[in-house]
Amino acid sequence: MDFETTLITWLPIIFFGVVIVLLVYTMRFMPRAKPAPVVKGSQVEVSWDDVAGLDEAKEELQEVVDFLRNRKRFERLGARVPRGILLHGSPGTGKTLLAKAVASASGANFYSASASSFVEMFAGLGAARIRKLFEEARKNAPAIIFIDELDAVGASRTGGGFHREHDQTLNQLLVELDGFNARDEVIVMAASNRIQDLDAALLRPGRFDRQVNVAPPDVAGREAILGVHTRDKPLAADVDLDKVARQTAGLTGADLANLCNEAAIFAARSGVQYVRFTDFEAAMERIVAGLQQRRVVSDKEKRILAYHAAGHAVMSHLVGDLFPAQKATIVSRGQALGYTFNTPAEDRYLHTREEFVDLIMVFLAGRAAEQIVFGRITNGAANDLERVTDIARSMVFEFGMSEIAPSRTMRADNYALSEETKRLRDSEQARLTDHAYDEAQRLLSKHRVSLDRVAEALLEKETLDRSELEALLADVRPESRSSETIGTVRALPGRD
Ligand code: ADP
Ligand code: ZN
């Protein structure tokens, strides 16, 4: 055969071959008569006892269980029941586990899907899957729908273009959430680690309007989790779970479950009857080596974290009860490090300049403590500094709280401001925060004993709640407002 004949014989075959391959390939992504399966509803068996630590989250979710079990009682009283619950926390902290426990305790069918699986190539498929998922759940109510990685569809809308599919999927989810009626015994639980990125529409009342924080475990939590995951394992007498817990700061529930399993494997391979402490040590070594981003927090780092958090807590006590510390912790949550406080006890719209300065000092106290105790500072205060910058900027730019121009705003978008005024304005903002930082250092040095005391307690327990903090600081009287001593007034030259 010459070349031409070969070509004539083979070309159609190759052509049809390519067409068939292409067809098969596209079919894979086309909506089918039966939409791609979301995980089928099922009865799961996870008891509350399988979920260790997380007491606050469990308590809040108990209410959902109550509702599903005694719907009538809630309805009689006209109570609006939760529809969407957002579990907020990093991967492996037990969010799926909690959702399963809720389903299990309330005898509801459990449906689960990962939001990332909704975002498909062809328009409409993600939306169709969501529709199907809700339809199935309604048919098999009572049901819990668990949507993992909500941010995959729930990230702020993009406004068309490449992300139309994503938007359609999100819209469908909103439609479904709004389409619930009072009779539906379906509750949607979703998990996300990035609430701040979620589309605001998702968080409106009637949608995911409840947020439950699923915190990474502190030392007591880790011990409890180790307890759960060694329940079925024969432990040697030398295994001290408290000790293991102390050496695993930074690990999540999933890591710890894994750790227990690894320890059992080490023991089995050595042919012993019990899992020994050395098996846990070997497992820890392996697990820690395998974790790339998360690491076990070193003792040295722990000390810095402890003083940082203690700085915040002591300072919030020192400035009075305006921003009472709710909790201090050295368990990192990826947010403002180690410390939470409530906004002012009384609900007010107006705040004085002094109060803003106090707030700035509370935020700066973490870094100030690091400076005083270790003589050096870390990046751990980045979040704090951002808040401080925002507050000081608002004070000077918008609230007329600078001493250079107490009767007007000096916003960044005001082009009428002279260069001189802008320079003064910016230096006034800097002066405000610099002074607050000095004050924070002065106050914390003066109360070094209390600072040490809180830091030591944090090293021991990793988290301290409000009453524990109050007890530790009972003998410290709040100081008068430092802000009154803030620098001298500089007159503003002429008009702009
Ligand atoms: P998430 O959904 O937050 O990513 P998971 O719930 O899927 O985490 O956790 C994975 C596994 O880790 C669980 O199945 C369980 O074995 C273990 N685990 C996580 N958190 C806990 C916890 N608080 N108590 C007991 N086990 C936990
Ligand atoms: Zn801080």
Side-chain angles (χ1 to χ4, degrees):
M1 267 194 291
D2 61 16
F3 179 70
E4 262 170 57
T5 338
T6 317
L7 205 64
I8 286 165
T9 331
W10 284 99
L11 210 58
I13 296 176
I14 291 171
F15 177 77
F16 282 114
V18 168
V19 167
I20 285 168
V21 167
L22 275 177
L23 259 177
V24 168
Y25 187 72
T26 40
M27 292 269 291
R28 283 186 49 203
F29 292 101
M30 303 256 281
R32 288 161 233 183
K34 246 171 59 194
V38 284
V39 174
K40 264 183 66 185
S42 63
Q43 292 283 332
V44 284
E45 271 180 44
V46 172
S47 89
W48 288 115
D49 292 341
D50 297 331
V51 189
L54 300 179
D55 292 338
E56 284 165 44
K58 279 202 237 175
E59 212 169 285
E60 284 182 67
L61 292 173
Q62 187 59 47
E63 202 178 310
V64 176
V65 176
D66 284 349
F67 161 67
L68 284 171
R69 300 185 73 137
N70 317 299
R71 209 187 75 204
K72 293 254 153 44
R73 198 178 76 206
F74 285 79
E75 281 176 359
R76 249 202 315 274
L77 296 171
R80 196 171 66 82
V81 294
R83 283 288 170 228
I85 295 164
L86 193 55
L87 302 176
H88 179 213
S90 27
T93 46
K95 297 182 292 299
T96 314
L97 196 64
L98 277 167
K100 283 183 179 167
V102 169
S104 184
S106 49
N109 277 309
F110 184 73
Y111 288 83
S112 104
S114 171
S116 59
S117 74
F118 293 137
V119 187
E120 290 275 347
M121 286 178 78
F122 275 88
L125 187 50
R129 284 193 180 173
I130 292 207
R131 202 158 41 233
K132 183 78 185 162
L133 175 64
F134 277 74
E135 197 180 292
E136 285 286 316
R138 282 202 184 93
K139 250 193 298 194
N140 297 297
I144 301 277
I145 299 177
F146 178 70
I147 303 178
D148 205 358
E149 300 174 69
L150 183 65
D151 24 90
V153 286
S156 295
R157 265 174 287 197
T158 47
F162 286 123
H163 300 286
R164 287 255 308 283
E165 168 59 8
H166 165 279
D167 292 351
Q168 275 192 16
T169 310
L170 174 58
N171 284 336
Q172 187 61 38
L173 183 58
L174 294 176
V175 165
E176 297 294 342
L177 287 167
D178 293 344
F180 275 142
N181 58 50
R183 304 248 140 250
D184 283 332
E185 290 173 282
V186 176
I187 286 178
V188 189
M189 299 177 75
S192 172
N193 191 26
R194 303 183 313 179
I195 288 193
Q196 68 281 7
D197 296 346
L198 290 180
D199 198 296
L202 274 172
L203 306 177
R204 287 214 191 104
R207 294 171 180 168
F208 290 106
D209 53 3
R210 284 240 192 147
Q211 293 174 13
V212 173
N213 202 29
V214 183
D218 63 9
V219 63
R222 292 196 299 275
E223 189 179 349
I225 293 170
L226 290 165
V228 167
H229 291 279
T230 50
R231 265 193 318 224
D232 58 347
K233 299 177 177 65
L235 297 183
D238 69 338
V239 173
D240 179 355
L241 292 182
D242 174 58
K243 203 160 150 194
V244 179
R246 290 195 176 276
Q247 289 173 29
T248 46
L251 298 197
T252 64
D255 299 328
L256 293 168
N258 193 8
L259 175 78
C260 293
N261 190 46
E262 287 284 335
I265 290 173
F266 273 115
R269 278 214 303 251
S270 337
V272 290
Q273 301 294 314
Y274 297 92
V275 187
R276 305 152 300 177
F277 190 69
T278 52
D279 298 316
F280 279 93
E281 281 179 322
M284 274 187 267
E285 240 165 71
R286 165 172 301 182
I287 301 265
V288 172
L291 294 173
Q292 272 150 14
Q293 293 167 335
R294 260 163 315 128
R295 313 153 290 124
V296 169
V297 183
S298 71
D299 285 346
K300 200 169 138 203
E301 244 178 347
K302 263 198 202 167
R303 274 181 64 76
I304 299 175
L305 289 170
Y307 271 97
H308 182 107
H312 286 306
V314 171
M315 187 58 71
S316 89
H317 181 82
L318 283 174
V319 299
D321 52 4
L322 193 57
F323 311 104
Q326 287 302 307
K327 187 183 267 176
T329 177
I330 59 172
V331 183
S332 164
R333 282 144 208 255
Q335 302 151 8
L337 273 173
Y339 171 72
T340 50
F341 65 84
N342 256 3
T343 33
E346 357 150 25
D347 224 344
R348 285 185 299 149
Y349 294 104
L350 299 178
H351 293 282
T352 65
R353 177 177 191 276
E354 288 68 28
E355 286 164 353
F356 281 118
V357 174
D358 283 350
L359 184 56
I360 289 178
M361 291 198 347
V362 172
F363 275 116
L364 288 174
R367 164 156 290 192
E370 291 180 35
Q371 176 65 45
I372 294 168
V373 177
F374 305 102
R376 58 181 70 164
I377 53 180
T378 68
N379 60 337
N383 249 309
D384 300 336
L385 298 187
E386 223 162 275
R387 299 289 305 271
V388 165
T389 307
D390 284 349
I391 299 166
R393 200 180 151 92
S394 298
M395 288 175 72
V396 175
F397 286 35
E398 290 168 41
F399 306 155
M401 285 181 175
S402 72
E403 311 204 350
I404 54 165
S407 63
R408 50 195 167 118
T409 61
M410 294 181 288
R411 291 183 204 276
D413 58 5
N414 182 353
Y415 294 109
L417 297 180
S418 71
E419 285 308 310
E420 169 70 354
T421 302
K422 280 193 232 165
R423 205 182 49 73
L424 266 175
R425 175 195 66 187
D426 294 348
S427 76
E428 181 71 1
Q429 180 191 343
R431 200 174 58 91
L432 187 67
T433 51
D434 288 351
H435 186 91
Y437 185 53
D438 290 345
E439 262 310 289
Q441 287 193 57
R442 186 184 70 78
L443 280 174
L444 288 181
S445 303
K446 186 173 159 198
H447 292 279
R448 176 65 194 261
V449 179
S450 312
L451 185 66
D452 289 341
R453 198 188 304 145
V454 174
E456 285 306 321
L458 275 170
L459 283 169
E460 169 66 24
K461 301 186 72 177
E462 295 188 9
T463 42
L464 298 172
D465 62 21
R466 177 151 186 203
S467 61
E468 289 167 318
L469 285 168
E470 272 170 1
L472 286 166
L473 295 168
D475 62 338
V476 184
R477 281 214 286 138
E479 297 262 337
S480 60
R481 294 276 147 73
S482 62
S483 42
E484 279 141 25
T485 65
I486 277 193
T488 50
V489 181
R490 268 199 70 177
L492 188 66
R495 288 182 165 275
D496 294 298

